[in-house]
Amino acid sequence: MQQALVIENLTKRYKDFTLDHISFSLPQGTILGIIGENGSGKSTLINALLGLIPADYSQLELLGKDIAAHPNLIKQDLAVIFDDAGYDENFTPLQIGKFLSHVYKNWDADSYRSYLKRFDLPAKKRLKTFSRGMKTKLEFAIAFSHSPKFLIMDEATNGLDPVFRDEILDLLREFSEEENHTVLIASHITSDLDKIADYVAYIHHGRLLFFQSYDELQNEYGIINCKKSFLDNLNPEDVVYYRKEDYSYRVLVKNRYSLKQIFQDVEIHSADLEEIMLFYAKGEKLE
């Protein structure tokens, strides 16, 4: 399987923060969700991938090309949506479309107008009259109108109402179903990623704590609510993290199907991304 993104030992050092030796590979035709607290390094990683900030690395390839050696070729096949668009507020969507037709060789004006209509965006009104959600919708209309092979989104669904956010998730899944289309989305809305992610990367304080397929996370991890006596009898190798609550313990375990065979009367329910993230960020290790 071809890799859409290859990162080896990507490091970015600031005075008070370090994105520390990030390494993973992402297959083409998949959706990667990057999760992490505010300030964990998600945006730093994306900015380094895009060459917006300098960083050190052993290897950095996007769509099979070295990012430093072929930036212009890569940009033609790349769409990026940030939380803040950055277009001149006096421009209209039609003016932006005309400008971008000279930027992207695959720009499809008919498709762009179709998305503007689909998203109920007035083509001739200035951006300064748009709400935050409308500006985000415009970003998606732009992204889908020049046939990108790789879509990168940094907190791009912030400010969208639940109905339109769900429509965007459907669009992303549809987009990624074509074999050469790949999506990377950094978001703190983990429920969105539960719906569409094929892979999940969790960055915490600048370090990559895990990179796994979503199916592996769902099949491997489980949560047990129990008393201290039960926790003490668990094999530490099966316990990822535990959290003490008022009257019980919540335990994130791996090998949940094997444990279910051993503890047949114990409920072990699956863990969503928010629960896993909280265990990794605030949980304790069983000694």
Side-chain angles (χ1 to χ4, degrees):
M1 183 178 292
Q2 282 191 308
Q3 302 300 311
L5 177 64
V6 178
I7 304 172
E8 288 187 15
N9 297 316
L10 191 150
T11 300
K12 176 61 181 178
R13 301 185 190 279
Y14 293 102
K15 183 178 180 180
D16 56 353
F17 174 79
T18 299
L19 187 67
D20 193 11
H21 291 88
I22 305 296
S23 298
F24 62 82
S25 296
L26 179 66
Q28 280 189 353
T30 60
I31 297 177
L32 168 64
I34 300 181
I35 61 176
E37 307 89 323
N38 290 335
S40 63
K42 303 188 301 296
S43 294
T44 301
L45 173 60
I46 288 175
N47 288 335
L49 292 180
L50 297 173
L52 299 177
I53 58 173
D56 298 317
Y57 53 84
S58 302
Q59 185 178 6
L60 189 55
E61 291 187 358
L62 195 60
L63 300 173
K65 300 179 182 68
D66 182 272
I67 289 180
H70 305 284
N72 293 330
L73 280 176
I74 291 172
K75 287 176 182 177
Q76 286 296 325
D77 292 323
L78 187 65
V80 183
I81 303 177
F82 289 113
D83 184 26
D84 184 10
Y87 290 107
D88 190 312
E89 293 281 286
N90 289 311
F91 283 4
T92 67
L94 277 184
Q95 289 172 326
I96 291 173
K98 288 178 181 179
F99 168 73
L100 292 176
S101 68
H102 299 289
V103 175
Y104 295 109
K105 62 183 180 181
N106 294 324
W107 183 257
D108 188 333
D110 290 336
S111 178
Y112 180 58
R113 285 191 292 268
S114 176
Y115 277 115
L116 292 180
K117 184 176 181 180
R118 177 174 178 175
F119 297 158
D120 294 322
L121 296 175
K124 297 181 180 181
K125 284 194 175 182
R126 300 183 190 276
L127 295 195
K128 63 184 178 182
T129 68
F130 281 26
S131 67
R132 182 178 181 181
M134 292 171 69
K135 291 176 183 177
T136 303
K137 292 178 182 181
L138 177 62
E139 285 288 300
F140 280 100
I142 292 169
F144 288 123
S145 297
H146 64 90
S147 301
K149 294 179 181 177
F150 202 122
L151 175 60
I152 295 177
M153 302 162 53
D154 188 7
E155 303 290 359
T157 55
N158 286 354
L160 297 180
D161 63 77
V163 174
F164 184 72
R165 209 168 72 235
D166 193 62
E167 182 180 352
I168 288 298
L169 297 182
D170 289 339
L171 278 172
L172 293 175
R173 173 55 70 190
E174 181 183 318
F175 175 81
S176 71
E177 285 174 354
E178 294 192 32
E179 188 174 347
N180 65 339
H181 285 177
T182 308
V183 178
L184 183 157
I185 173 171
S187 178
H188 69 275
I189 307 176
T190 55
S191 59
D192 285 353
L193 301 180
D194 275 309
K195 296 176 182 177
I196 63 170
D198 299 304
Y199 292 87
V200 179
Y202 178 29
I203 299 178
H204 180 65
H205 294 323
R207 298 183 60 201
L208 181 66
L209 296 191
F210 65 73
F211 176 91
Q212 285 185 260
S213 76
Y214 185 81
D215 287 344
E216 287 175 343
L217 291 173
Q218 288 296 291
N219 292 331
E220 181 178 357
Y221 287 168
I223 296 175
I224 299 174
N225 293 300
C226 64
K227 299 294 185 182
K228 181 67 163 61
S229 57
F230 185 89
L231 174 64
D232 290 339
N233 285 318
L234 287 172
N235 185 335
E237 293 184 359
D238 291 325
V239 176
V240 184
Y241 288 101
Y242 72 90
R243 298 183 66 189
K244 187 179 186 306
E245 300 193 332
D246 290 340
Y247 302 104
S248 64
Y249 287 80
R250 282 172 58 81
V251 187
L252 181 67
V253 297
K254 54 187 177 181
N255 306 317
R256 73 183 180 102
Y257 288 111
S258 298
L259 289 176
K260 187 62 179 176
Q261 297 302 313
I262 300 171
F263 305 106
Q264 296 183 11
D265 296 330
V266 175
E267 182 179 355
I268 307 177
H269 67 80
S270 60
D272 62 29
L273 291 180
E274 181 175 340
E275 290 173 314
I276 293 172
M277 183 174 161
L278 287 172
F279 272 106
Y280 268 86
K282 298 183 177 182
E284 299 180 54
K285 281 287 190 181
L286 185 63
E287 300 297 335

